[in-house]
Amino acid sequence: MAPSAASTSNDLQEIRSRILALRAEVLRHQQAYHMLDAPVISDAQYDALVRELEGLESCYPELAPGPSPVDQVGFAPKREFSEVRHRVPMLSLNNAFSDEDIQQFAIRLAQNLGLKAEALRFSAELKFDGIAVSLRYEAGRLIEAATRGDGSVGEDITPNIRVIQDVPKVLAGQNIPQVLEVRGEVLMRREDFDALNARQAARGEKVFVNPRNAAAGSLRQLDPKITAERPLSFYAYGTGEVRWAAGKERQLATHSEWLDALAGWGLPVATDRAAALPCEGLLKFYSEILSRRSSLPFEIDGVVYKLESLALQSKAGYVSRAPRFAVAHKFPAEEASTRLLGIDVQVGRTGALTPVARLEPVFVGGVTVTNATLHNADEIIRKGIMIGDTVWVRRAGDVIPEVLGPIAALRPADARPFVMPTSCPACGTPAVREAEEAVSRCPAGLTCGAQRKQAFLHFAQRRAMDIEGLGEKIVDQLVEKNLVSSIADLYGLTIDRLAALDRVAEKSASNLIAQIDASRSASLARLLFGLGIRHVGERTARDLALHFKSLQAIRDASPEDLLQSPDVGPVVAASIREFFGNPEQSAIVDRLLAVIRLERLDDRPAVAPAISTAAAQPFAGMTVVLTGTLDSMARDEAANWITALGGKTSGSVSAKTGLVIAGAAAGSKLARAQELGVRVIDEAAFLELIQPFRQQGAT
Ligand code: IVH
């Protein structure tokens, strides 16, 4: 806000109140994060508060004199721990959120140093999402370890650090300083976190919301035996005090040389880093790491750029709590807190009743989330979630949003437990839950409207009968107005009937009819998958089609016959028998057979199990990246081919990539491949490579 915007004394009063309120709020969140290891808002939500407060404080410095929590690093140590005074303060980093912020950072830094931005060189590293610690080695032996605390005084956690396997108790190698303080981050790897939570749940103990909280809670234990049971890891990213023995001084001129030296002495240093990058290289590093974020073994919340030259670092110096020579380039937050307004129960295609969280809209993982899965009733109990709670929501990459758990401190007095309905919310049939199963189901099958709708959507989807335009809005109306009662009825629909539906124009009605007509020549594999037989997925449907060669043969097959088809076990065989044994389903299939031609067994290449000799496999041992759009097949199908022919697919291009397949409109990955000199082929060349392996019967 510009100072001139507020002229009256009322306005100024209001701004002062806002500053004070923000300070109190920021302080509360600092306490929750640093002292209690129990944050109640995400970093992104916290950063937004801090940015607002900093903005107001810098525009109106006279309105609220006195210390501000934004100038504070961390928090004073817990009283239960002894104190450790840091000889070199443990500072924080300024954050950047956009490409422009990074450009500004480089320009400001260059101005400060009297240099051109192009002349600057940076190291680029991961920003670990853990707990900052300082490890003190004297004569190569670990003698003390401390948390950051308020930056000047931290907590003595030496016994707890000693039980972390990653942390060397004695340094290895040559030329080790007499005194070496290593700065780094303690964290928990994703797989260790999952295993710990599974163990905690099995013992009926507290489950942690995310790896950072688990790591913080495990490290700051008064009893190091508890820490020892928790799988913690450590990564070094810098140094504090360093003293060389007289006559043994070593000249390390850059930050990256220091990281190499730390690694040489046996300290864990992440290999995902880059040295001496010019400004233009920083954003590339950012996007490369961002694209691999979810496949890293631990969580990171961004990347960090640091001026390489140590001489220039000290020339640039510090501003209040952070260095001028470094910046954290943050990633979009994958977690945020929001209110759980209610829990709806959705009915799936197979009748599974799934509780779904209705949330106050929250921006997380790059989108606004209003719903998130809760999986099943047991999961809600295990996580201790109540309606009205403020909960943590996670959305990572393209994975569907998930509710992680409640924030106990924010539970309102009127929070209420969720009760799983005992009957289907769509049709009222009493729900059943089999002993071994986690989910309740509506047993009504296609007589349940909700299941019927799902059956239509399943039948029409691209991987099944591929009827474009038969989406949720039309299916809802068709089912609710009783225009169709089974999938066979789709083939009796007319343009007039469709055009009479709400918001369906004549043109789209006629397009839809054309699509339905086109589906009459679908392959047997697509029809089988589209029927929605429980446990018969796309691949099994394809195998069955190729094995039995006709729908009649599958209908007539005994369980023993069915077991002869690849990928069919007793459960699948029983499910197929049950489906065709049901007279209603059988009648629907008869009606479908009267209108569908089934000229082909399968219209997509099956991944041939016969492909075996490594010498013949065009992608043997190769990491392949698919980018852009392929005209002739879906991306997962192309990926299947690559794996079947000896390769591995990856989402990002690096020096390790063996081949890039570039479809139409390929963008940054193609550019990166060209930059790295990785071999690139187009769709036609890819089809040529796989052609010899395509099975008979496939087009
Ligand atoms: S350097 C003087 N490098 O981020 C600069 N910090 O938001 C000191 N962090 O307190 C920090 N990864 O706990 C640095 N590669 C990295 C880091 C990193 C994570 C943490 C650290 C720091 C916080 C600042």
Side-chain angles (χ1 to χ4, degrees):
M1 193 187 304
S4 56
S7 44
T8 70
S9 74
N10 265 355
D11 289 345
L12 292 174
Q13 235 352 316
E14 226 167 82
I15 293 167
R16 188 181 130 77
S17 313
R18 181 73 188 140
I19 292 178
L20 295 180
L22 279 167
R23 280 187 183 172
E25 201 176 348
V26 166
L27 200 66
R28 200 157 49 78
H29 293 310
Q30 287 180 340
Q31 209 162 358
Y33 185 92
H34 294 291
M35 281 180 69
L36 309 174
D37 295 326
V40 296
I41 55 171
S42 71
D43 285 2
Q45 290 167 316
Y46 172 78
D47 289 339
L49 291 175
V50 167
R51 251 176 298 157
E52 184 186 350
L53 180 55
E54 278 175 340
L56 290 175
E57 283 179 349
S58 72
C59 285
Y60 304 98
E62 71 293 351
L63 279 188
S68 167
V70 296
D71 296 324
Q72 177 162 333
V73 174
F75 235 77
K78 270 191 191 170
R79 269 202 300 278
E80 299 89 317
F81 290 96
S82 323
E83 292 187 351
V84 170
R85 182 158 289 279
H86 301 302
R87 278 82 161 184
V88 174
M90 288 184 79
L91 299 180
S92 185
L93 287 168
N94 284 324
N95 290 329
F97 298 93
S98 65
D99 296 3
E100 291 73 47
D101 288 353
I102 295 301
Q103 271 156 6
Q104 287 305 319
F105 156 75
I107 291 169
R108 240 180 296 123
L109 181 57
Q111 272 170 356
N112 236 294
L113 294 167
L115 294 169
K116 286 206 165 102
E118 303 85 78
L120 302 178
R121 290 296 174 270
F122 296 90
S123 84
E125 303 161 27
L126 305 181
K127 186 170 188 312
F128 308 98
D129 198 5
I131 305 100
V133 295
S134 181
L135 314 179
R136 187 173 175 89
Y137 290 87
E138 287 184 5
R141 291 183 178 277
L142 175 68
I143 60 135
E144 188 180 72
T147 60
R148 184 170 69 166
D150 64 5
S152 309
V153 179
E155 296 149 333
D156 186 345
I157 47 156
T158 316
N160 308 41
I161 286 288
R162 282 191 187 284
V163 298
I164 300 178
Q165 281 186 355
D166 274 11
V167 175
K169 313 312 167 264
V170 180
L171 298 178
Q174 307 293 314
N175 300 327
I176 300 168
Q178 179 59 27
V179 171
L180 173 67
E181 273 182 12
V182 179
R183 301 276 161 92
E185 202 94 345
V186 168
L187 49 83
M188 197 175 282
R189 290 166 174 268
R190 294 179 207 268
E191 60 177 18
D192 291 333
F193 168 73
D194 292 340
L196 171 67
N197 260 359
R199 258 194 335 261
Q200 295 283 103
R203 292 186 198 155
E205 285 171 24
K206 170 187 167 161
V207 293
F208 296 96
V209 159
N210 59 32
R212 192 207 169 266
N213 288 5
S218 304
L219 186 63
R220 296 169 80 202
Q221 288 284 341
L222 287 175
D223 180 1
K225 277 203 223 91
I226 301 180
T227 313
E229 286 173 8
R230 307 278 176 81
L232 294 171
S233 302
F234 171 77
Y235 283 96
Y237 55 64
T239 55
E241 189 184 16
V242 178
R243 270 195 275 143
W244 299 92
K248 300 249 170 112
E249 294 85 356
R250 217 174 124 190
Q251 285 309 319
L252 293 165
T254 67
H255 177 69
S256 291
E257 282 173 34
W258 263 108
L259 292 181
D260 293 340
L262 295 178
W265 294 323
L267 287 149
V269 176
T271 47
D272 276 313
R273 62 186 166 103
L277 288 183
C279 294
E280 318 86 78
L282 302 180
L283 301 182
K284 248 186 242 158
F285 181 83
Y286 175 91
S287 13
E288 212 262 318
I289 299 292
L290 181 59
S291 72
R292 287 198 289 115
R293 179 185 195 178
S294 59
S295 53
L296 291 176
F298 44 78
E299 292 195 348
I300 58 172
D301 56 346
V303 291
V304 183
Y305 314 133
K306 298 171 189 166
L307 204 53
E308 278 287 22
S309 156
L310 301 184
L312 290 180
Q313 280 196 3
S314 44
K315 196 168 169 201
Y318 298 83
V319 55
S320 80
R321 66 196 172 104
R324 280 205 191 84
F325 55 79
V327 71
H329 193 176
K330 300 281 287 254
F331 286 161
E334 290 183 328
E335 284 171 17
S337 60
T338 189
R339 281 235 317 150
L340 175 62
L341 304 174
I343 297 180
D344 300 331
V345 175
Q346 282 181 358
V347 187
R349 182 173 59 83
T350 58
L353 304 185
T354 308
V356 176
R358 202 162 8 93
L359 303 164
E360 202 161 89
V362 61
F363 190 75
V364 57
V367 297
T368 299
V369 169
T370 49
N371 291 306
T373 177
L374 286 163
H375 303 292
N376 56 58
D378 289 352
E379 187 83 354
I380 297 176
I381 294 171
R382 188 177 76 77
K383 289 180 171 165
I385 296 168
M386 286 170 86
I387 298 166
D389 269 340
T390 298
V391 292
W392 284 109
V393 176
R394 178 176 176 83
R395 183 184 180 273
D398 291 335
V399 180
I400 53 168
E402 191 193 359
V403 175
L404 297 176
I407 299 174
L410 301 186
R411 174 161 289 164
D414 60 353
R416 55 200 164 85
F418 167 71
V419 183
M420 191 69 187
T422 51
S423 57
C424 172
C427 70
T429 307
V432 292
R433 181 173 169 178
E434 273 152 37
E436 304 280 284
E437 287 207 345
V439 291
S440 304
R441 285 179 194 283
C442 163
L446 293 178
T447 51
C448 165
Q451 289 179 62
R452 214 158 52 235
K453 283 180 190 170
Q454 293 297 328
F456 283 105
L457 292 171
H458 177 82
F459 184 76
Q461 69 175 292
R462 183 157 165 233
R463 285 153 56 214
M465 302 298 274
D466 197 13
I467 307 177
E468 208 183 309
L470 192 62
E472 229 163 288
K473 285 193 186 114
I474 295 202
V475 166
D476 281 357
Q477 293 193 62
L478 289 175
V479 171
E480 275 153 28
K481 296 184 176 162
N482 267 327
L483 292 177
V484 287
S485 59
S486 83
I487 45 182
D489 296 338
L490 288 174
Y491 295 90
L493 284 173
T494 58
I495 296 178
D496 291 348
R497 281 214 160 170
L498 284 176
L501 299 177
D502 291 344
R503 291 186 303 275
V504 178
E506 177 99 13
K507 173 92 179 114
S508 34
S510 99
N511 285 345
L512 182 50
I513 292 293
Q515 285 284 327
I516 293 173
D517 274 344
S519 77
R520 289 174 198 264
S521 54
S523 65
L524 173 58
R526 283 179 181 272
L527 175 67
L528 257 182
F529 173 56
L531 288 177
I533 306 169
R534 220 170 143 202
H535 304 301
V536 176
E538 201 180 355
R539 179 176 285 242
T540 308
R542 209 179 267 186
D543 288 343
L544 285 166
L546 295 173
H547 182 84
F548 286 99
K549 306 218 164 32
S550 78
L551 189 60
Q552 200 51 48
I554 300 171
R555 289 174 96 175
D556 294 343
S558 67
E560 294 71 38
D561 296 337
L562 288 166
L563 288 172
Q564 301 308 309
S565 175
D567 221 21
V568 174
V571 175
V572 183
S575 171
I576 297 170
R577 287 300 326 131
E578 190 186 320
F579 183 90
F580 290 112
N582 174 324
E584 280 168 40
Q585 308 274 31
S586 214
I588 294 170
V589 171
D590 283 337
R591 287 180 51 214
L592 279 172
L593 286 178
V595 290
I596 289 180
R597 287 189 291 277
L598 292 184
E599 284 160 4
R600 281 158 302 155
L601 299 182
D602 187 18
D603 54 357
R604 289 159 301 179
V607 172
I611 302 164
S612 62
T613 53
Q617 299 186 347
F619 309 113
M622 210 185 260
T623 304
V624 183
V625 175
L626 280 158
T627 180
T629 323
L630 300 182
D631 287 336
S632 58
M633 65 179 75
R635 192 182 276 239
D636 52 355
E637 215 167 296
N640 275 348
W641 274 107
I642 292 162
T643 351
L645 295 171
K648 209 172 81 188
T649 53
S650 159
S652 64
V653 178
S654 75
K656 291 189 194 123
T657 311
L659 179 70
V660 169
I661 298 165
S668 62
K669 289 184 195 170
L670 174 58
R672 176 97 180 118
Q674 282 159 345
E675 202 179 282
L676 291 172
V678 173
R679 191 175 147 223
V680 179
I681 60 170
D682 62 9
E683 183 174 354
F686 169 65
L687 294 177
E688 222 167 275
L689 282 178
I690 64 172
Q691 191 53 42
F693 302 94
R694 289 187 152 190
Q695 281 199 335
Q696 299 256 315
T699 49

